[in-house]
Every structure is written in structure tokens, then in C-alpha cells.
Amino acid sequence: MLIKSYNAEFDEKFTVTSVPMTSSSLSSLHPEVSIKTETGGLLGLNNIGNTCFLNSIIQCLSNTKPLLEYILSEEYVSEIRNSARSMLIKRFAELIKNLWTDRKHAVNTSSLKSAVGYYAPRFNGFNQQDAQEFLRYLLQGLHEEINRAPTVQQKKRDQLQNENLTADEIWQRYLKRDNSKIVDIFGGQLRSDLKCTVCGFASTTYEPFWDLSLSIPQSELKNTPRSRVQLSQCLDHFTKEETLEGNEKPTCARCKSKQTCVKKISIQKFPQILVIHLKRFSGNTRKVDTEVEFPVSGLDLAPYSAEKRQVNSSVYSLYGVVIHFGSCFYGHYTAYCKHPYCAGWHIFNDSQVHSVHPNATTDPYILFYESNSPTC
């Protein structure tokens, strides 16, 4: 539901223009993608009742080039695990195709919403939901239906850790259980180093991730209307050394008892598509309204790499932003996306779509970045 009082904020954060897409602007379209008109990918989605959270996520995924081409090429058809039960991938594909074909009106999302509700009943009904939670459940559901790994009884995730295995060996073991186009696109790996302050014993574990959830640190700037931080500060906070003490003490494998330890997180494997979720909601009562300044291009994550060296796959460019206006109790989601072929930016506000010029200072909730490297 659009909250009219926030319309002014749209104009402040992104400059809306009325320049229409033209045939000449589509000259750089990928030849394997069949687009019937110059409006490919520029259709809105109907709000069928507090579904702006769903609409904003779908528009960002629709502009995720590797996922889009996976759908439009129908590669997913041969990877469906159980055709009789796999309704989510089919309805998602149908919706994406509708956004990229010759249509004149906004697209309805009822069919997809029902399919997501099958996996996650919390999304049944028409209450406002969290966009990040919806993204996670949607991707998990899609992954399960197109998982290439054989259906076998799998060990729990924490049982897959082995001190004698390398990061690559653990990643390969992960792929034996979870191997899909979703993992190809969004899958990365974190490294966690833990050191006991008593005996000095150090251990390393690796965990897969599909997105990074970052806390927003307090800004030290004074006498400003609103505090402002850099995205790099959020990443610094996420990867800084943390002392685990008190109730957070882990059990040291050598001491055989709970000890104060130092923990350090870094990125072992960079994903093709990096999704960054900024933790704006604290419990159910408070929203962090700190402005986060983020780069549109040249986001270099090399300083956060576990390898401690410059790697080509660590540099990213922005192509999607989900913004939440309002508080924990009410609000509205919109999406700002860069067209994967025309390179122009657009605001997707439910059924409305307009050209925009992005501004790197705004109130992002979820950021979508693509690697500048062809492969990761």
C-alpha cells in the first residue's frame, strides 16, 4: 500500500525523469534473450494487498541477469526435481516471463504468492511482511525444487565441519547436498577463526551464505539532522575481531571448558551476486534510520577476504536497491533497479515504473551487487 506522505522522499533520494525507453536504447541487449518490445523488464506489479514487500524483491530478481537468463532460456525446466510438486519455480518463471514480454499492464502476483505460502505459511494472508525474510524463503523454495544434488539423507550442517579439510573441500561437500542455480548465483562462503585466550588454541570453520546481514554502527558525526555511515563501516563492523565472553563463551576444544575467545569473520568465497541486508529493525519496536552511503560501482571487498590479497572477483557494481519507508508498524517498499541490458535505472513502485538517476546516499534496506568478474 502506497503511503502518500512518502512521495516527496522518492524525489529527494532518486531524481525521477520522464524519458521513455526507445528502440535505440536496446541495442546492447544480449542476443540470446528474446524481448518483444522496448518495454522488456519495465512492467510494474499489482499490489494485491500489502504486497509491496513481494513486488520490490521480484523486481530486483527480475533484473538479476544470470537468474533472468536462466529463466528466459528455460534451462530450469530440465533441472526441476519433481515436476508434479514443483509449483514455485514454475510460477516464478511464469511471472518473470510476463515481466519481460509484450504486455501493457502491471502483472498480478497472486499465483506466486500462493506458491510461496505453501513453503512458508507466514506469507499467507495480506499482512505486511519483511522483504528480506521473503527473499530468503523464496530463494530457499526455488533451490529445493531445482537442487541438482541427489535426494539422500544429509548430515546436519555443523557435522560437515572438519579441521583437516580445506575451504574448497568443505565447499565441495556442501555442493553434494545443496547444488542449484540459486547456489551458483548467490552462494558464497564465510570463514570464522576462533582463538582461545587461555590456551591459545585456534580453530577455523566455514559456512555457506546467500546474503550478508550487516548491523549499522553508530555514526560519530555530531550536529547533523540524521546520522550517516558508509557501507564500508558496516562491513568493518561485521568483520572486526569480537571477544566472546560471559554468556557467549564457547567451549574450547583443548581446555574442554567454556573460555573467553576471540572471533574473526572474513569472506572465503565471493558470490557472483552479493546481497547485503542492512539490519534496520531492532526487535519489533524500533527502526534504525541512519543513512548508509554506498558505492554504485567499485565496491571492493578485498580487505575482507580471508586470503588477504586482491582478487578480481571481489569488486562489485550495484544493480538493485530495496528501500523501506516508514516504521516497524507501517510502511512501504520500493525497488530501484539497473536494467541488465540497457543500463538505465528505474524505480519500481508497485504498478508504477519510472526512469531515475541513482543517488548513492539514501536509506537502503537491501542492496544487490553483481561481480565485475565473469566467474567467481
Side-chain angles (χ1 to χ4, degrees), residues 57 83 99 104 117 127 182 213 227 239 262 266 284 294 376:
I57 292 299
S83 182
L99 288 173
K104 304 297 182 182
N127 293 326
I182 301 300
S213 287
S227 59
T239 57
V262 176
S266 54
N284 297 316
F294 54 93
C376 293

Side-chain angles (χ1 to χ4, degrees), residues 25-31 33 35 63 65-66 68-69 72 100 338-344:
S25 66
L26 291 176
S27 59
S28 62
L29 279 176
H30 195 289
V33 179
I35 305 299
N63 286 278
K65 188 176 180 180
L68 170 66
E69 296 185 351
L72 294 183
W100 283 85
K338 180 183 178 182
H339 198 280
Y341 305 108
C342 304

Side-chain angles (χ1 to χ4, degrees), residues 188-238:
Q189 187 182 45
L190 291 177
R191 169 174 170 158
S192 178
D193 293 295
L194 192 68
K195 184 175 182 179
C196 178
T197 61
V198 176
C199 72
F201 178 77
S203 62
T204 299
T205 56
Y206 301 92
E207 288 289 337
F209 72 90
W210 293 359
D211 62 66
L212 295 180
S213 287
L214 309 182
S215 298
I216 303 175
Q218 283 284 77
S219 172
E220 297 180 358
L221 296 178
K222 304 297 183 181
N223 302 319
T224 56
R226 290 178 59 191
S227 59
R228 177 183 298 177
V229 299
Q230 302 286 330
L231 179 61
S232 59
Q233 292 176 265
C234 301
L235 288 163
D236 290 341
H237 183 76
F238 178 73

Side-chain angles (χ1 to χ4, degrees), residues 301-365:
L301 299 187
Y304 312 104
S305 171
E307 300 298 329
K308 301 304 178 187
R309 58 184 174 85
Q310 295 287 330
V311 288
N312 293 333
S313 60
S314 68
V315 182
Y316 291 83
S317 295
L318 185 76
Y319 73 91
V321 185
V322 171
I323 294 179
H324 177 269
F325 296 95
S327 68
C328 292
F329 305 104
Y330 66 94
H332 180 63
Y333 288 100
T334 61
Y336 298 84
C337 301
K338 180 183 178 182
H339 198 280
Y341 305 108
C342 304
W345 282 84
H346 298 82
I347 175 176
F348 295 86
N349 184 9
D350 287 334
S351 62
Q352 302 298 312
V353 181
H354 299 286
S355 298
V356 297
H357 295 298
N359 185 322
T361 303
T362 184
D363 303 330
Y365 181 47

Side-chain angles (χ1 to χ4, degrees), residues 239-250:
T239 57
K240 73 175 183 180
E241 284 192 349
E242 177 185 9
T243 301
L244 303 179
E245 51 190 353
N247 294 331
E248 295 184 332
K249 286 183 180 180

Side-chain angles (χ1 to χ4, degrees), residues 282-297:
S282 177
N284 297 316
T285 59
R286 178 176 175 268
K287 179 183 177 182
V288 179
D289 64 355
T290 301
E291 290 189 3
V292 178
E293 195 169 280
F294 54 93
V296 174
S297 61

Side-chain angles (χ1 to χ4, degrees), residues 23-299:
S23 298
S24 61
S25 66
L26 291 176
S27 59
S28 62
L29 279 176
H30 195 289
E32 297 179 1
V33 179
S34 176
I35 305 299
K36 294 184 177 181
T37 73
E38 65 265 22
T39 57
L42 299 179
L43 285 176
L45 294 168
N46 288 323
N47 190 321
I48 58 176
N50 288 322
T51 54
C52 56
F53 70 93
L54 179 152
N55 293 347
S56 62
I57 292 299
I58 293 300
Q59 294 292 7
C60 287
L61 294 180
S62 174
N63 286 278
T64 300
K65 188 176 180 180
L67 181 60
L68 170 66
E69 296 185 351
Y70 176 72
I71 295 298
L72 294 183
S73 67
E74 297 194 340
E75 181 184 345
Y76 70 93
V77 175
S78 63
E79 295 190 327
I80 294 177
R81 171 171 288 183
N82 186 328
S83 182
R85 298 182 58 186
S86 299
M87 60 179 176
L88 182 57
I89 183 63
K90 295 176 183 177
R91 294 182 182 181
F92 176 76
E94 179 184 16
L95 179 56
I96 296 299
K97 290 175 183 177
N98 285 339
L99 288 173
W100 283 85
T101 53
D102 186 13
R103 286 172 169 263
K104 304 297 182 182
H105 304 290
V107 181
N108 191 282
T109 60
S110 298
S111 180
L112 177 69
K113 184 177 180 298
S114 297
V116 175
Y118 174 82
Y119 281 94
R122 70 175 64 190
F123 296 108
N124 289 324
F126 296 95
N127 293 326
Q128 181 64 277
Q129 301 286 348
D130 182 81
Q132 173 65 5
E133 289 186 358
F134 174 76
L135 174 63
R136 287 184 171 181
Y137 277 102
L138 174 60
L139 292 183
Q140 182 62 38
L142 295 173
H143 162 72
E144 290 178 7
E145 292 189 351
I146 56 175
N147 191 356
R148 308 178 189 113
T151 306
V152 295
Q153 184 65 33
Q154 300 292 347
K155 295 181 180 180
K156 292 182 180 180
R157 191 178 303 275
D158 59 0
Q159 291 178 321
L160 293 178
Q161 297 299 336
N162 188 316
E163 293 297 329
N164 297 320
L165 296 180
T166 65
D168 184 63
E169 288 172 332
I170 290 179
W171 180 256
Q172 293 305 316
R173 293 184 68 176
Y174 169 66
L175 292 181
K176 290 181 180 179
R177 181 187 70 242
D178 294 291
N179 186 355
S180 71
K181 193 66 176 182
I182 301 300
V183 175
D184 294 344
I185 296 172
F186 299 96
Q189 187 182 45
L190 291 177
R191 169 174 170 158
S192 178
D193 293 295
L194 192 68
K195 184 175 182 179
C196 178
T197 61
V198 176
C199 72
F201 178 77
S203 62
T204 299
T205 56
Y206 301 92
E207 288 289 337
F209 72 90
W210 293 359
D211 62 66
L212 295 180
S213 287
L214 309 182
S215 298
I216 303 175
Q218 283 284 77
S219 172
E220 297 180 358
L221 296 178
K222 304 297 183 181
N223 302 319
T224 56
R226 290 178 59 191
S227 59
R228 177 183 298 177
V229 299
Q230 302 286 330
L231 179 61
S232 59
Q233 292 176 265
C234 301
L235 288 163
D236 290 341
H237 183 76
F238 178 73
T239 57
K240 73 175 183 180
E241 284 192 349
E242 177 185 9
T243 301
L244 303 179
E245 51 190 353
N247 294 331
E248 295 184 332
K249 286 183 180 180
T251 299
C252 173
R254 179 180 293 169
C255 297
K256 306 299 182 183
S257 61
K258 291 184 179 296
Q259 301 288 5
T260 298
C261 294
V262 176
K263 180 180 180 181
K264 170 72 174 177
I265 293 177
S266 54
I267 302 175
Q268 180 68 39
K269 180 183 184 300
F270 293 97
Q272 182 179 5
I273 296 296
L274 174 67
V275 180
I276 295 179
H277 163 233
L278 297 171
K279 297 180 180 179
R280 291 200 173 274
F281 300 103
S282 177
N284 297 316
T285 59
R286 178 176 175 268
K287 179 183 177 182
V288 179
D289 64 355
T290 301
E291 290 189 3
V292 178
E293 195 169 280
F294 54 93
V296 174
S297 61
L299 173 64

